[in-house]
Structure formats: structure tokens, C-alpha cells
Amino acid sequence: MHRSTPTSEPSTNSADFPRQFARSRRFSLGVPRHFTVSPDGRRVLFVRTVSGTDPVGRLWQYEDGAERLLADPALLVGAGSGTVPEEERLRRERARERSVGVVSYATDDAARMVAFALSGALWAVRTDGGTPFSVPAAGPVVDPRPSPDGRYIAYVSRRCFHVVDLTGADRQLARAEDPEISYGLPEYAAAESMHRSRGYWWAPDSRRVLVARVDTSPVERRYISDPANPAKPPQAIRYPAAGTANAEVTLEVRSLEGERVEVEWDRKAYEYVVAAGWDAHGPFVTVQSRDQRIVRTLAVDPETGATEVLHERTDPAWVEITEGVPARTASGALVLPEDEGDTRYLTVGGQRVTPEGLQLCAVLGVEGERVLFTASDDPLETHVWCHEPGHGLRRLSREPGRYTGAARGGTVVLAGLTPRGNEVGVLRGDGAAEDSGAAGGPPYQALTSLAEEPSITPRPVHLTLGERKLRGALYLPSWHEEGTGKLPVLLDPYGGPGMQLVGRARGWFTCVSQWFAEQGFAVLVVDGRGTPNRGPAWEKTMHGDQLGPALEDQVDALRAAAAHCGDLDLTRVAIRGWSFGGFLAAAAVLYHPEIFHAAVAGAPPTDQRMYDTHWKERFLGHPENQPENYERASLIGHGHLLSRPLLLVHGLADDNVVAAHTLRFSAELLAAGKPHSVLPLPGATHLPADDAVNAQLLHFQRDFLMNALEGGTGKE
């Protein structure tokens, strides 16, 4: 058997990559993000660190072609003192936040008053040239948001909801009656599974607020301990596991004068609050049934709390939640998605405004009658589009990539993951694609990215594989010459709902795949059924079975890729992944040891009954009614099938996929006499944050897989 070996030094600096990957926090530091455009379109607010290795976020303003620093935590007296409130820590964890300092902010309607929290303290800054100033608050501050008129700032402290004016006159509008009650914060399922990171919404007149009240007392309690620090008490969290009780969520209209009106709907039939808001037409809320087959958008009477059904969506599998909807135009036209056949359409006022095959991804905003949204007509790209009566449908992002953005006042901010990495541009005028982007015309100006340039240059070969036209990317070593020898194969998927890894863009994940290729692997990445942006039918093949179709697609793609490239050695095939990808990797060596010879499974959900209600019941139903679905999609109970080397990696502080998933599965493997390896990560959550740990994890996985494949245990 011929084996390919390096004939010269690789063209990329793979030796430094793991350290660079870790210190740059997956190349996220130094990238502009969290954009707000002023009503006149002249100013853009954003957050960015000052280098590709500095983790401290600063608040910036872009105006007239120049960037100006608005708030630097290092210059604010006392800003670095104190402890981040637990609610804020959890919010950052839900958002997978990798920086500190100013990590989020909110503005008034004019984008003139900005509020943000630093180590629990409340700060504000005016964008007209003033310096940041502290605002007295009743306690540690979470999620501060100015009123639309800029006179007040609302915030949550110790689960109570407050409003303070800029002189420090504080009003507690809602007091938490019990340690299990909170006002103004999203519950776990909303933040983790519904795209809802907020728990309150200002009225346009700045006199009232729509506030969520969350009672977690019915929810199961879990305890997250730190075995590396046995003197430290465990942390108790409320986690709604599949089939168990959810938090009870209600909504109230609270006035600044202390009046309270409870919003009324059938909470027994519709227990999930998916979205809410308050625009010129009044407050609204979107609710969903526990089985997720019905979603209703309700108009709320702020005087009485009565609700009226504006729209209802149904689906025999589940109604997919689309970020940014519902929304309403200035005329009151409702902006919603609509699934029919294999297309997710955008509708405005009940009329489809996008064509068949253009898959709606998210609504980014509404201004007047104009709707800004992201959509995909090619699984390898996601673009920013707009629809406006009289102008029709236009694509604003031009070059290949995956884009998001913000718009107001005739200005559009396009933030894209392109073949060159993270790029952010400001489009002046009407933001038409023909006047911007690659053409480099005057309307287009770039915001500076200070991110590190990866020492690895990804070299994907994009493939369309098999009868299902699976989208794949094959990464080969830069030093490999076709036909000179066989390469061991590494599958590197996520492969599940909510994430695509294959595209015409350079992301951290493409760099990691190329790094493994430089170590001597042929790396194959495949987005199979269930991954987003290929239509409702593609997504819902996972209904009732989250494992079978996903694993089948990896197997079929591997065979098709080997037929395309004869240098793939199918006698030496490994697979690695994290979260759903880790679950998929472990399942591969359990069920197909004749194909997969070694696996690394990071944070794998091995028992689907232990994952949260909204996410897991979406695909598998209620475990009391469909227990066979959970049995089919769980690794627990099937450990006796293991016959290949398997490395399990798990953060012991993970409160998303708790470490019990790996520990219980490991115990089952041990009891069945199945050798395997476990790498526990003390103090690590679902995404390990320690730079030293992250720098070594890639090396550890590489060495495990190489040893397994070359040591005789992975070969036929």
C-alpha cells in the first residue's frame, strides 16, 4: 500500500496554527460585530476589540468614513471591578460569547444614547462626542436598554425589572416574588433554542414596557460541579429536559407609573413564547404549542391584555422558527415565513415576495415598507436581500460568502464570511448590489477588521456527492501530489440542524479542516440532511430520527468522494466532531465499524432524553408518546456495539450538553468491556474557553487518530 508523505515543507505554517487558533478565540477577536445604523444612515455603531488577540470589546462609531472610539473599558474608572452577575454570565454563555468588556449594547431610537454593562455596573455614552458616564443602579445590571426617546434605561438586577433615568432616579417596576421568579430575562429554552435572547420590549412612546415573567419552579434542577475544586459548592441550574416541565412564561405590560396589565392567551395550549415586540401598531407576541406543530402570532391590547390572532402557521412535523419574525411594516403588513413544498418563502401582508428555491434564513429588519433579510438560493452561500414595493426584490451582497447585516436611512452594513475571511462593508445610498461590493465603487466603504490572518490557507475542493447532491468540501495536504500515494481519511462534520460547514467562505472551521489535512489526512466535510438552508423537506427528514439520515449521508458522501479522488484510503477512515458532530462521530464507529476505524467525539449528546425540551421534542416528539424515537437516536443502550478506538472529550462545566452524557456512556462501555478513552476538561463549558486547553486539543485529537489508524487497531 502506497502512503503519501510530505515531499517538501508545507506552504502553510501549520505548526503555529493551534496556538493562533486558541489565542484569537477562533479568529473572532478584532472582527467588527453588533451593528446599529442611525435613522439618517450616517452613523454605524459596532463592537470590536483592538487586535486579533485582545479579548476586550470596545464600542465604536463609524461616521463620514472615520472610526471613533466611544467606550474603552480600560479607561473607565471602576469598570473592571466587581463580579459579572450570574444572569449575565449565562446570557453570554448562551450567545457563545468569546470576549469580555463591552460585549453588547443597546441604543435609543435615534442611536444617540447607548447603554451597556461592565462587570455589573451600568454605563451610558452619548454618540455626539461625550464621554461614557456611570448611571447609578439598584444592583448588578443585566441587559440594559434605553427607552426609544433616550430618557430612561431599563435593566434587570437580581431578577427584578428596573427603569432608571439618567440622574439615577430608579424605579423597580417588577419585583421577583420568589427566587424562582425573574422579570425581563429569557428562559433557558428561549435563549438556547428559539433565537429569543430578550425578556422585555419598550413601547414606542417610552411610557410602557412589555415584560416577560418567568417561573422556573416546575423545571428540573441540575447541579454542575467542579471536580477539580472539590471545596467549591455545585451550581444549581434549572434545565428542562425532554419530556419534563418547562418554565412558566407570562407577559405583562408595565407602565412607568406602576400600572400592570397581564397579557392573556391560552397558555396551556401554547406554552412557548417564541417572540415578542412592540411597534407603532402595538405589542405583539408569537406563541407555540408544546408539540411545536402550531405557531400563532397575536396582537396584544395594551390596555386590557386581550389578544387577537393575526396569523397561524401549522405543520405536521414542526413549525420552524425563523429569526426576526414576526415583524410589521409601517403600513401594518405582517412579515412572516411560509413553507410550501421545498421552499421557505418570505411573505409580506400575506403575499409571497420571494421566488421558489430562494430559502428564507432570517429577517434582519423592517424600515418603512422595506424588508431586509437573508436567504440562500445556493447551499454554499447566504446573502442579504431586500424587498420594497415599487423596487421589487434585490440582492445586496455581491461576492460569494455567508452574510448578515443591518440597515437604516438608506445605509446597509454587510457583514460577510467570505473566501478571504470576515469582511464588513458599509453601503451608502440605496445599497444596490450593482453599485457596491467587488466593484469597489464609491458607495462601498469597509470597516476595519483587526482579526489575525490565519497561518493556514484553506484549499477546499467543493463537491456535489451522491444521488442526494450532498454538498461537501475535500481538503488535501498542500504538499500532496495526486496519484503519489494514499491518504488516511478524516470526516470532519457537524451534520445536524442549525449549522452549515460547507460553503464559499473561509471560517475558523475551514482552517481547522485544512490543519488536519496538513497533518497528513484527506479531510472530508459534508452537510447532510437536516442542515439548514436547503428547504423545509430537507430539514424535516430528521423528524422522528435524528441519527439515521445524518449518518447515512456521511457514509454515502465518503464513498462518492473516494470515487472522485482515488487517493482516499478507505482502509483508514476516522471521524471527529463536537456537539451534534460528536454524537455523529461516536455513532459512526458504533454502527459502521466496517467503514469508520476511529473517532473523536466532543461533548456528544449520548442520551437524547437528557437534552432540552424545545430542541429535542422538535425532532423526536415527546418521549412519553414516542419513546422509540429516543431509543433510535441515543447512543446510550448501544455501547456494546463499540469495536473501534473512541476518544470522548467533555467539559465538566457544560450546562448545555452536560458531562453526564459522556460519563454515563463511558460507564456503559466499561461495563460491556469496550476499551475507549475519555478526556475530561475541568471548568470547561460547551465551548472550552481556556486558550492553553484549546491550543492542545487539536494536537491531542490528531495524535489519537493517527495512533489509532496507524497502530493496527484502525486497519482492516
Side-chain angles (χ1 to χ4, degrees):
M1 178 183 302
H2 296 288
R3 297 178 181 173
S4 183
T5 57
T7 57
S8 62
E9 286 297 315
S11 61
T12 54
N13 183 12
S14 62
D16 181 61
F17 178 79
R19 292 188 297 273
Q20 184 192 39
F21 175 70
R23 67 175 180 258
S24 67
R25 311 284 170 86
R26 299 184 176 189
F27 304 101
S28 65
L29 301 180
V31 178
R33 55 200 176 98
H34 300 322
F35 306 100
T36 301
V37 184
S38 64
D40 60 7
R42 293 189 60 188
R43 297 175 292 111
V44 177
L45 301 177
F46 62 97
V47 171
R48 186 187 59 204
T49 67
V50 296
S51 78
T53 57
D54 175 43
V56 181
R58 278 87 166 172
L59 180 66
W60 302 80
Q61 180 170 263
Y62 175 84
E63 184 176 13
D64 296 331
E67 299 174 1
R68 179 165 63 88
L69 182 62
L70 293 181
D72 183 348
L75 303 179
L76 303 182
V77 177
S81 62
T83 302
V84 175
E86 182 62 18
E87 297 94 339
E88 175 66 9
R89 186 196 68 78
L90 291 173
R91 187 186 69 80
R92 293 186 187 184
E93 175 64 21
R94 297 282 81 76
R96 308 293 185 254
E97 183 59 61
R98 298 187 182 94
S99 62
V100 294
V102 181
V103 298
S104 63
Y105 66 92
T107 77
D108 61 0
D109 189 61
R112 287 293 183 186
M113 173 60 64
V114 187
F116 54 94
L118 287 173
S119 299
L122 176 58
W123 288 82
V125 63
R126 300 184 189 277
T127 62
D128 56 5
T131 59
F133 56 94
S134 63
V135 180
V141 170
V142 176
D143 196 22
R145 295 180 179 272
S147 58
D149 63 9
R151 295 176 58 194
Y152 308 100
I153 300 175
Y155 66 93
V156 178
S157 181
R158 299 188 178 97
R159 296 170 286 101
C160 301
F161 184 72
H162 293 255
V163 171
V164 62
D165 66 27
L166 300 183
T167 68
D170 194 279
R171 313 178 201 190
Q172 186 185 86
L173 295 191
R175 181 181 64 85
E177 306 94 327
D178 182 89
E180 298 292 344
I181 306 293
S182 67
Y183 285 90
L185 296 174
E187 73 280 15
Y188 180 94
E192 192 66 40
S193 302
M194 303 181 204
H195 312 299
R196 180 167 66 81
S197 60
R198 299 179 58 176
Y200 69 91
W201 302 265
W202 278 101
D205 65 4
S206 301
R207 301 304 305 174
R208 291 177 290 187
V209 191
L210 180 65
V211 184
R213 178 185 185 271
V214 176
D215 181 356
T216 59
S217 58
V219 182
E220 280 188 355
R221 183 174 293 179
R222 288 182 172 179
Y223 298 90
I224 307 296
S225 63
D226 184 359
N229 294 284
K232 184 178 179 180
Q235 175 192 1
I237 64 170
R238 294 292 189 177
Y239 188 97
T244 67
N246 283 303
E248 296 178 357
V249 182
T250 56
L251 293 171
E252 301 175 0
V253 176
R254 296 271 183 161
S255 74
L256 299 190
E257 291 73 31
E259 297 171 339
R260 170 186 172 275
V261 176
E262 184 171 347
V263 178
E264 300 174 356
W265 78 90
D266 186 348
R267 291 194 294 273
K268 184 175 181 180
Y270 303 95
E271 64 181 82
Y272 289 124
V273 176
V274 173
W278 200 327
D279 58 20
H281 306 284
F284 58 86
V285 58
T286 294
V287 295
Q288 186 179 43
S289 58
R290 175 71 182 249
D291 65 11
Q292 303 188 44
R293 295 176 179 175
I294 307 174
V295 167
R296 284 184 168 181
T297 298
L298 310 175
V300 178
D301 184 336
E303 307 299 331
T304 66
T307 55
E308 175 189 357
V309 178
L310 296 176
H311 190 271
E312 180 176 283
R313 297 173 63 203
T314 63
D315 192 279
W318 73 82
V319 177
E320 183 71 16
I321 294 174
T322 300
E323 192 170 357
V325 298
R328 285 184 286 204
T329 67
S331 65
L334 201 59
V335 178
L336 287 167
E338 180 183 346
D339 291 359
E340 183 171 311
D342 202 18
T343 298
R344 178 159 297 128
Y345 298 90
L346 174 69
T347 69
V348 179
Q351 301 297 314
R352 294 177 185 167
V353 299
T354 52
E356 182 179 1
L358 180 61
Q359 308 295 346
L360 174 66
C361 302
V363 171
L364 302 176
V366 174
E367 183 183 20
E369 300 303 313
R370 190 187 201 199
V371 181
L372 191 76
F373 62 99
T374 55
S376 175
D377 57 4
D378 178 342
L380 300 183
E381 299 183 18
T382 303
H383 287 280
V384 174
W385 300 69
C386 72
H387 174 269
E388 187 174 11
H391 296 276
L393 186 67
R394 291 180 296 160
R395 196 179 97 179
L396 303 184
S397 49
R398 184 164 185 169
E399 289 197 317
R402 298 204 184 277
Y403 292 85
T404 185
R408 212 172 178 196
T411 292
V412 179
V413 178
L414 295 177
L417 199 59
T418 76
R420 295 177 298 275
N422 286 287
E423 296 185 331
V424 180
V426 179
L427 281 66
R428 302 295 189 182
D430 66 0
E434 58 268 24
D435 296 328
S436 61
Y444 181 90
Q445 294 174 302
L447 292 184
T448 305
S449 174
L450 303 174
E452 285 206 354
E453 185 69 15
S455 59
I456 288 282
T457 301
R459 305 167 68 236
V461 176
H462 288 107
L463 304 172
T464 300
L465 301 165
E467 62 180 15
R468 287 183 292 280
K469 300 185 185 304
L470 303 166
R471 298 311 195 268
L474 181 63
Y475 299 82
L476 299 175
S478 60
W479 43 262
H480 176 71
E481 296 180 8
E482 185 176 356
T484 59
K486 293 283 191 177
L487 294 167
V489 184
L490 174 62
L491 273 68
D492 196 12
Y494 181 77
M499 186 180 297
Q500 290 174 289
L501 296 184
V502 181
R504 298 185 183 98
R506 189 192 74 191
W508 65 264
F509 39 88
T510 66
C511 295
V512 168
S513 292
Q514 187 66 49
W515 181 83
F516 274 101
E518 298 301 330
Q519 311 311 301
F521 290 100
V523 179
L524 179 64
V525 183
V526 176
D527 289 339
R529 283 171 288 177
T531 54
N533 301 338
R534 285 195 64 174
W538 183 266
E539 293 170 351
K540 290 170 184 176
T541 52
M542 282 198 161
H543 188 231
D545 185 2
Q546 270 200 290
L547 178 57
L551 186 54
E552 182 182 15
D553 285 348
Q554 298 299 316
V555 171
D556 289 354
L558 172 64
R559 289 170 173 157
H564 169 82
C565 178
D567 289 352
L568 273 59
D569 184 355
L570 296 189
T571 70
R572 296 181 293 160
V573 178
I575 182 171
R576 66 178 288 273
W578 199 271
S579 197
F580 188 93
F583 159 71
L584 199 55
V589 289
L590 283 186
Y591 294 108
H592 288 290
E594 77 285 3
I595 298 172
F596 299 98
H597 308 106
V600 173
T606 63
D607 186 345
Q608 306 302 341
R609 299 168 190 84
M610 286 200 293
Y611 206 70
D612 79 70
T613 50
H614 193 272
W615 187 257
K616 199 50 58 179
E617 292 174 17
R618 178 184 310 178
F619 308 106
L620 302 180
H622 197 288
E624 289 184 2
N625 301 326
Q626 290 92 23
E628 68 282 0
N629 292 347
Y630 287 80
E631 170 70 18
R632 182 187 304 116
S634 294
L635 306 182
I636 290 286
H638 306 279
H640 62 280
L641 298 175
L642 183 66
S643 60
R644 295 294 191 183
L646 170 64
L647 170 63
L648 301 167
V649 186
H650 218 122
L652 298 182
D654 193 337
D655 63 357
N656 178 10
V657 181
V658 292
H661 283 274
T662 281
L663 298 177
R664 292 183 182 182
F665 188 52
S666 174
E668 178 182 310
L669 294 173
L670 182 63
K674 301 298 181 180
H676 62 286
S677 301
V678 178
L679 177 62
L681 304 177
T685 57
H686 194 56
L687 291 179
D690 186 281
D691 289 354
V693 169
N694 284 327
Q696 294 303 317
L697 264 179
L698 293 179
H699 289 293
F700 197 93
Q701 295 176 71
R702 176 201 62 191
D703 293 346
F704 175 85
L705 294 173
M706 283 293 192
N707 289 337
L709 295 182
E710 300 294 343
T713 54
K715 295 167 57 180
E716 295 293 347

